[in-house]
Amino acid sequence: MFADIITIGDEILIGQIIDTNSAFIAQELNKIGISVYQITSVQDDREHILTALEESKAHADIVIVTGGLGPTKDDITKHTFCEFFNDQLVENKEVLRHVEHLFAKYISNTPISDLNRKQALVPSKAKVLHNENGTAPGMWFYEDGTTFISLPGVPFEMKHLIKEVVIPELVTFYERPHIIHKTVHTYGMGESAIAQKIEDWEDNLPSFIKLAYLPSLGKVRLRLTAKGTDYGKLSKAIDEESQKLFPLLGDIILGTESDENIEEVIAKLLTKKGMTLATAESFTGGAIATQITAVPGASVYFKGSVVSYATEVKVQVLGVSQELVDTYSVVSEQVAMGMASGVKKLLDTDFAIATTGNAGPTKGDSNADVGTVYIGIASPSNVFALKFTMGSQRERIVQKSVNKAFELLKKEILKM
């Protein structure tokens, strides 16, 4: 069973806003066994919308449209649906009462206008979907074996309608297959190297299980997808196949999608051991600390961070000797180790992460090539730093380094 998603709005096509609606809708449909065939963004243009509806009708069981339901002249979705279904707009008394109620309760300082009341005009063939969070109702049409659903483009209004109205209606209306995903997270090995290691396993997957590689800056997710009518068979098979990856890939596997991300794994390890962490960041600019503190309860184990962007901060705050900087340069193994030891001592922690490097676009206080980074780790029994070359694009250098720092830290914590 396939669905198409159509988003309407010039603001999407000119990059003024990002289309997050389609991602949300696709995820919710996938949960109930409906695969998204195509996502299309179109202008606030009658011909463009009609063409998109006609094309989707040819191959999709369900077409979900968002946007273009406001009261102003540029919002033409309702009129275009009337043309598509050879229909006309009629006033819906329940929608009108709801619009008047919203204005009376929440917008009392602005009198309701005839333009606002026009929100109660809906195509006569549509089943109205009550939008308790806004004035634009959702609409449900069914014609020639295809369901068309029109929803407001405002994300919080759309999300409520999808979760509370549309998904329950689709579950009741259609018999659907099961779709099960299981994603294995790996760190520290590239996509092609992983593919070589698991080639025989991949070649022998059951026909109803598909594998996708999802690489991202120092980590690769391996997503297994099983689709069919027998949930028990699918679940058992996908669990068995994912377990076969562990002996093939060893300790580069962090866990599965249902498990925690690496920051959460580190949080649990440190909390369980009663140990603490600090960071000293140069070119990463606090990105490591940001991801650490995004985990609820981080205050139990994370004491703080020094963003030592300038060389003098490394020297004056972290205690890295100027002689070390002069001898080896600020981007070096020795300085990374000094930063890690310095922040560990300064904040009295068990572990510390330090980063120093050149993320570009210029070389700064060092002659190191852009993309050269050193990541230092200090533990209760050791301090070391490793050199990495992370490419030439600034954002990628930073995020790859953050991921690598977490990978190195996790391995050290597990040694304790």
Side-chain angles (χ1 to χ4, degrees):
M1 174 167 290
F2 291 102
D4 271 12
I5 300 171
I6 300 172
T7 59
I8 297 175
D10 293 343
E11 64 274 16
I12 296 172
L13 296 173
I14 66 173
Q16 190 173 26
I17 66 168
I18 297 172
D19 173 26
T20 58
N21 285 353
S22 293
F24 175 82
I25 293 169
Q27 290 170 353
E28 295 303 310
L29 291 175
N30 197 265
K31 290 176 184 177
I32 61 169
I34 298 174
S35 301
V36 173
Y37 182 86
Q38 184 171 283
I39 297 174
T40 306
S41 294
V42 301
Q43 299 173 343
D44 294 297
D45 174 81
R46 167 185 160 276
E47 287 293 336
H48 202 173
I49 297 170
L50 288 172
T51 299
L53 292 173
E54 197 63 51
E55 289 177 352
S56 290
K57 183 179 180 180
H59 60 252
D61 305 288
I62 300 159
V63 182
I64 298 181
V65 180
T66 68
L69 294 178
T72 53
K73 290 181 180 179
D74 63 325
D75 292 306
I76 61 173
T77 300
K78 287 192 291 189
H79 295 280
T80 309
F81 266 105
C82 282
E83 184 173 350
F84 187 76
F85 290 111
N86 191 26
D87 199 2
Q88 61 184 354
L89 295 175
V90 297
E91 185 176 86
N92 184 289
K93 300 298 184 185
E94 290 186 9
V95 175
L96 181 59
R97 281 195 293 270
H98 176 62
V99 172
E100 291 173 340
H101 166 74
L102 289 178
F103 267 81
K105 186 172 182 178
Y106 299 109
I107 323 175
S108 56
N109 60 334
T110 303
I112 188 170
S113 67
D114 289 340
L115 198 61
N116 302 125
R117 291 189 177 92
K118 284 185 178 180
Q119 290 288 66
L121 296 176
V122 296
S124 67
K125 295 179 181 178
K127 174 182 176 181
V128 172
L129 308 177
H130 176 61
N131 176 12
E132 67 178 59
N133 295 315
T135 60
M139 300 177 292
W140 177 298
F141 305 84
Y142 183 78
E143 183 173 281
D144 299 332
T146 302
T147 296
F148 294 83
I149 300 165
S150 177
L151 301 173
V154 180
F156 83 95
E157 295 181 25
M158 177 278 300
K159 288 179 180 180
H160 184 268
L161 278 166
I162 283 285
K163 280 184 168 289
E164 302 302 325
V165 182
V166 173
I167 294 299
E169 289 275 1
L170 291 174
V171 167
T172 302
F173 197 77
Y174 288 101
E175 289 187 12
R176 297 145 288 104
H178 298 286
I179 302 174
I180 300 176
H181 300 288
K182 192 156 193 174
T183 304
V184 176
H185 292 252
T186 72
Y187 274 76
M189 185 178 289
E191 178 183 8
S192 58
I194 291 174
Q196 287 182 328
K197 279 181 169 288
I198 65 174
E199 184 177 6
D200 290 340
W201 167 85
E202 184 178 356
D203 289 341
N204 288 287
L205 282 172
S207 59
F208 56 86
I209 296 180
K210 305 299 180 186
L211 173 68
Y213 293 82
L214 307 171
S216 175
L217 303 179
K219 56 185 177 181
V220 179
R221 289 176 295 159
L222 304 174
R223 188 190 66 221
L224 292 164
T225 301
K227 186 174 182 180
T229 57
D230 187 334
Y231 182 86
K233 176 184 176 182
L234 299 176
S235 182
K236 182 173 183 290
I238 208 167
D239 283 344
E240 289 175 350
E241 293 300 330
S242 64
Q243 287 302 312
K244 292 177 184 177
L245 286 170
F246 284 78
L248 294 174
L249 295 177
D251 63 2
I252 72 163
I253 292 181
L254 173 66
T256 62
E257 189 89 302
S258 57
D259 297 329
E260 301 94 347
N261 60 38
I262 196 165
E263 303 95 281
E264 291 169 327
V265 170
I266 288 170
K268 286 195 171 183
L269 288 171
L270 290 173
T271 301
K272 182 178 179 181
K273 295 175 182 290
M275 303 179 96
T276 54
L277 171 67
T279 64
E281 302 187 54
S282 183
F283 72 95
T284 51
I288 296 173
T290 297
Q291 289 189 211
I292 291 170
T293 54
V295 178
S299 59
V300 172
Y301 56 88
F302 184 62
K303 285 199 173 183
S305 178
V306 175
V307 180
S308 51
Y309 210 67
T311 300
E312 57 263 34
V313 178
K314 297 177 178 67
V315 174
Q316 295 170 11
V317 178
L318 296 177
V320 178
S321 78
Q322 186 64 53
E323 182 180 356
L324 206 62
V325 173
D326 294 339
T327 303
Y328 298 103
S329 112
V330 72
V331 179
S332 63
E333 175 188 0
Q334 292 78 9
V335 168
M337 292 171 63
M339 291 169 64
S341 298
V343 78
K344 180 176 179 289
K345 180 180 179 181
L346 178 69
L347 298 182
D348 188 24
T349 60
D350 299 292
F351 291 92
I353 298 171
T355 62
T356 183
N358 189 350
T362 60
K363 290 190 175 183
D365 292 343
S366 169
N367 288 321
D369 291 335
V370 172
T372 302
V373 307
Y374 288 86
I375 300 173
I377 303 291
S379 73
S381 59
N382 188 28
V383 58
F384 67 92
L386 298 177
K387 178 183 178 181
F388 300 94
T389 302
M390 297 298 193
S392 59
Q393 206 280 327
R394 185 176 179 83
E395 290 183 4
R396 290 175 61 86
I397 293 168
V398 171
Q399 192 56 56
K400 286 174 73 173
S401 300
V402 171
N403 292 339
K404 179 59 70 172
F406 285 134
E407 177 194 338
L408 296 175
L409 176 64
K410 172 176 170 275
K411 289 178 179 178
E412 290 306 303
I413 297 172
L414 289 172
K415 293 177 182 178
M416 295 296 111

